[in-house]
Amino acid sequence: MITKHLLAHKKKIVFVSIIYTVVLTYFSLKSEPISIKLPSQSDKILHALAYFIFTIFWFLSFKYTFSLQKKKSFLNTFILSLVFGAFIEILQQQLTNYRQADVLDVLANTFGTILAIVMLNLMFKDR
């Protein structure tokens, strides 16, 4: 049922993925810091959540819009997420004056990606 619904909207999936990526990039590189008071290291949870969502959108895009096999969709999504997350960290170091590249952010991004892939793999196990 979910698959049929997604197939009917496959052009929307890639559009949503692109929009989400643009919004994520904007908030990652925005010139003013977001003034939310968070407990120490809780921003890592936000990183993991952001890349969890990023991974889901791009997996669905690769699988349904670009019609890739499940295994290739997982691989492409994983590589895209890792490269994008690392690239954003480098850009934060280079383009902002209040953020630095942080290996722990990259690890949090990777954790969110792996969590999404595990969940998606369980959902699409027999397909």
Side-chain angles (χ1 to χ4, degrees), residues 82-98:
L82 290 182
V83 169
F84 180 75
F87 185 64
I88 288 294
E89 288 301 315
I90 292 167
L91 288 178
Q92 286 176 342
Q93 176 75 35
Q94 299 298 318
L95 300 179
T96 67
N97 57 5
Y98 65 92

Side-chain angles (χ1 to χ4, degrees), residues 62-121:
F62 285 127
K63 179 137 179 58
Y64 293 113
T65 305
F66 303 118
S67 302
L68 297 180
Q69 294 176 338
K70 182 175 78 169
K71 193 179 225 183
K72 197 161 195 152
S73 296
F74 281 130
L75 180 62
N76 287 344
T77 303
F78 186 72
I79 291 169
L80 174 65
S81 183
L82 290 182
V83 169
F84 180 75
F87 185 64
I88 288 294
E89 288 301 315
I90 292 167
L91 288 178
Q92 286 176 342
Q93 176 75 35
Q94 299 298 318
L95 300 179
T96 67
N97 57 5
Y98 65 92
R99 298 205 60 180
Q100 297 178 331
D102 186 356
V103 174
L104 294 178
D105 286 350
V106 174
L107 289 175
N109 299 346
T110 304
F111 177 76
T113 296
I114 291 170
L115 194 61
I117 287 175
V118 167
M119 185 199 76
L120 287 164
N121 197 35

Side-chain angles (χ1 to χ4, degrees), residues 53-65:
I53 296 167
F54 179 89
T55 301
I56 290 171
F57 284 146
W58 281 108
F59 170 80
L60 295 173
S61 293
F62 285 127
K63 179 137 179 58
Y64 293 113
T65 305

Side-chain angles (χ1 to χ4, degrees), residues 2 56 116-127:
I2 292 173
I56 290 171
I117 287 175
V118 167
M119 185 199 76
L120 287 164
N121 197 35
L122 290 171
M123 287 176 63
F124 290 92
K125 194 169 190 138
D126 296 332
R127 296 176 192 159

